[in-house]
Amino acid sequence: MPGIFNALDFTASILAALSGSLIAGRYEFELNYLISFIRPRKYFIYVIYVVYLLALNGKSKYVDISIILMFKILWTVKKMADLFSNDAMLEMFLFEASQLLEQLEQVVLSCETRQHYSEEDINEIFRIMHTIKGSSSMMMFNGIAALSHAIEDLFSYIRKEKPEKYFSSDLNDLILTCIDFIKIELEKIRNKDNVDGDPSELVEKIKSFLAQLKERGFNVPEEKNEEVINYFKAVLYFEDGCEMENIRAFAVVHNLEKIAYKLVYYPADIIENEKSVETIRREGFQIFIKTDRSKEEIQEQLVQTVFLRKLQLPVVDEKAFAESLQDRENGELVLSENSVKKQEENATAETEDGGKTAQVEKSHTETEQKQNVGDHHSTSSAQSYISVSVAKLDRLMDLVGEMVIAEAMVIQNPDLQGLELANFHKAATQLSKITSEIQDIVMSVRMVPLAATFQRMNRIVRDMCRKLNKEVQLEIIGEETEVDKNIIERITDPLMHLVRNAVDHGIETAEEREAMGKGRVGKITIEAKNVGSDVHIIVKDDGRGLNKEKILKKARENNLLTTDEDSLSDSEIYRLILLPGFSTSDKVTEFSGRGVGMDVVAKNIEAIGGSISIESEKNKGTQITLAIPLTLAIIDGMNIQVGKSTFTIPTISIQESFRPRDEKVIVDPDGNEMIMVRGECYPVLRLHKFFGIETEVTNISDGIIIMISQDERNICVFADRLLGQQQVVVKSLPEYIKRFKKISGISGCTLLGDGSISLILDIANLVHNK
Amino acid sequence: MADIQTSIVTEDKDTQEGRYLIFSIDDESYGIEIRYVTEIIGIQTITGVPELPDYVKGIINLRGKIIPVMDVRLRFKKEPREYSDRTCIIVVDIMGMSVGLIVDSVSEVVTINEADISELPYIRQGYQNHYVKKIGKISDEVRLLLDCEKLLTDEDVESLNEVL
């Protein structure tokens, strides 16, 4: 085994190298963790053990080296043979780290809504970063480790200082960027790409932030908020004929943004609207500034503006400014001229308003506190979960299915027939009760609440609002609704896409909303609820709604219309956006508008047996409903018999079944059979012919016709007889069978109550082949 | 390092090395390496699947797991025979796929030493020789040792052509 000798050689060389220069400093390793990590490689453990003993027999300081050595060996092994690629440890690390990150994101976002880091939050962030640091340095992902270490340092300082009522949106942004960085790195690890992200820039930022904190303390921004805040109204007049006033005004705003807490300016749409140039020329460019800088500083900044003809910079009082902000808390707002004037006129009325706002704020804090309590409750209960691999659950479900069949075999055993067995039946009933209960539990174990998926949307909405300068409130209803684990994975992307669309295309800018008499803040609702055996996920916005004319125009341009457009109903028009190559957005933005959106959503949803429906009303909003089966593993099926074989048809695609009469069957010269049903003609597919099965029922009037439909096409399937409806567990055909050519017409198989196998018909295939 | 990996595998294999499961079809005895064998079960209800070559009889339900079954008689181009009490299904795991092999009967597990295994003599390729890898001798009896992987893969091309 030369491999071991290589490793030993390597160890020896490192020992030699290290004995000269002993690295000082403690390495935080849990030895148990380390050993569990290497156990599968049984030979290495000997090598490491030998090294460890060597170290112990020497001086005690070598213990440190030996631990470093273990590490180095493992690392070399990893590098040399890439043995870790499928390691369970790596998987565990990825799983754990991504979960922690998600948790962290939640904490950070909830702090943002509350505008406050509570002690628990700080501890939580610290704890999470500590864990990520530990496990990532364990796995030798130095970039992640360095970054998480920096954040940990920062929060350990904050934790030590215990600032009261501290919040900084800069810090929040910083942490979120870090989270994104780590997420990207994790994705790289998952894809076995080179983990090459360089966190040094972020680490620097964190360090400078920490230094700033240490220097200025926590309460500095707080004080500024309450005491040194100045409010100005600046009116800028540009020199006549300098041209491009709007661009110049934008430059001014851009410069001011760096020093002002809040900015409100008029005219608002300086970049988009050509006419704003006129307004600026006529009335000057008005800016409301809230800042901690003095008047001199602001003036100095403003007079630097090129081509400035005249500058007015009166100090305004706080209330006028606050009113102009309309108790918004962040983001730059743009006011219309009217409301500014109104403010100045109705100075008395404002006091009342101010009082109201204060009240509202008070009740707001109360609810926050309640939320806070709720949050902590949920984190503590999260501890009682364990994670189990889905493969094990699949196996468990198979076994339970097996048990149910075995039970039926025992209780309905032919040997027992005709015997009087009162006690046996009593016991048998008990057994049946327990098995059905176990079945329910096993199914429920696979069910996962949608909460985690929904919570992710918070982040998306937040980021997009910042970038697009929109104000959106996200409401989540029914996040406790549970669906099958596999389904959750498949709907995350579509859902994300819908939410992005809603923010980007649906919700208007605050100004547009005000002009239409809606509230400034747009609202997006994500709702999940159980409807029968389906789960409905509804994404609703109160934005501008879908524009029918635009959709039709686009569809015409892209030749997507197959029927006469006058005959299309509203919902059919809306459905056009689900077609491939459709995008109504004229501009491609960072978030959407590439025309590869909704069709992918539709495809993903259909792949899991779901459907999409769209409702929309102009200027009232859009509602998109995804109807998704609770689980992929179980479908409602109708069992039918053909000869000795049993087939299952998914109930969802069955239109009707009936006993046909001979005279209704039409045969064309090629021998294709058709049947007339209520004046419509449908092709007949004889299953026994299609699958080459021997059966006695060949006369159409002896058997049964089942009409199935897919994509609005119907065909009639001819079978011997119906066996009955039941829920069946879907299993795929064995790999070996699939290797021979695709078996057309069959999508999978299932086990029936008596242990026999039934083949599930592939409806789409049957319909389209006919 | 790869050496070490292999050595671990070989050690696990040690106990199975040279051991063969012997089954019979007609009067001939065949052996397959025991490491492929998962279990042996009696004949089960087989559900036919359309559009498969005739030697793949269909699928069976093995404790909730669906596995395909192949009739080795038909695979060897022998006459089909009624299944009886002695008919067995040998469940093998080859290249990650579970497949049931229907055979006339299963007799024993034997150890055949390396020395007693000889190469196939060169004869004109008959159908059967496709799957027979080597010949093992136990005292004066002969066992035909099968190449399991070939059993599954070899004729795929041919079967495809048949169907097309």
Side-chain angles (χ1 to χ4, degrees), chain A residues 1-8 43, chain B residues 1-8:
Chain A
M1 281 173 286
I4 284 190
F5 297 121
N6 281 346
L8 276 176
Y43 288 95
Chain B
M1 294 300 136
D3 299 331
I4 293 171
Q5 281 285 295
T6 347
S7 65
I8 296 170

Side-chain angles (χ1 to χ4, degrees), chain A residues 1-4 6-7 40-44 77 80-81 83 395 398-399 402 405 645 647 690-691 731-737 739-744 746 749-751 755-759, chain B residues 1-5 7-8 11-12 45 47-53 55-56 58-70 75 95-99 151-153 156 159-160 163-164:
Chain A
M1 281 173 286
I4 284 190
N6 281 346
R41 333 231 158 280
K42 38 183 166 176
Y43 288 95
F44 287 110
V77 170
M80 288 164 87
L83 289 176
R395 183 86 198 97
D398 282 349
L399 277 175
E402 192 62 28
I405 292 161
S645 308
F647 294 93
F690 187 81
F691 290 127
K731 289 168 184 286
S732 63
L733 286 170
E735 201 59 29
Y736 180 63
I737 301 275
R739 277 173 50 166
F740 291 96
K741 183 185 167 186
K742 186 169 161 45
I743 314 281
S744 58
I746 291 173
C749 52
T750 183
L751 296 177
S756 65
I757 301 171
S758 168
L759 300 172
Chain B
M1 294 300 136
D3 299 331
I4 293 171
Q5 281 285 295
S7 65
I8 296 170
E11 190 200 56
D12 292 340
T45 327
T47 307
V49 177
E51 298 178 56
L52 289 180
Y55 59 83
V56 180
I59 48 184
I60 57 164
N61 169 15
L62 179 67
R63 291 188 308 281
K65 208 172 147 194
I66 310 275
I67 62 165
V69 285
M70 174 202 290
R75 184 71 164 134
M95 297 175 292
M97 293 184 294
S98 283
V99 177
L151 205 59
L152 254 64
T153 52
D156 277 0
S159 68
L160 250 179
V163 186
L164 287 175

Side-chain angles (χ1 to χ4, degrees), chain A residues 640-647 693-694 723 757-759, chain B residues 47-48:
Chain A
I640 57 170
Q641 192 166 23
V642 182
K644 281 180 185 153
S645 308
T646 315
F647 294 93
I693 298 165
E694 279 178 38
L723 292 175
I757 301 171
S758 168
L759 300 172
Chain B
T47 307

Side-chain angles (χ1 to χ4, degrees), chain A residues 370-383:
Chain A
K370 269 184 216 155
Q371 256 179 7
N372 215 351
V373 175
D375 283 351
H376 293 136
H377 178 70
S378 67
T379 35
S380 65
S381 66
Q383 308 276 321

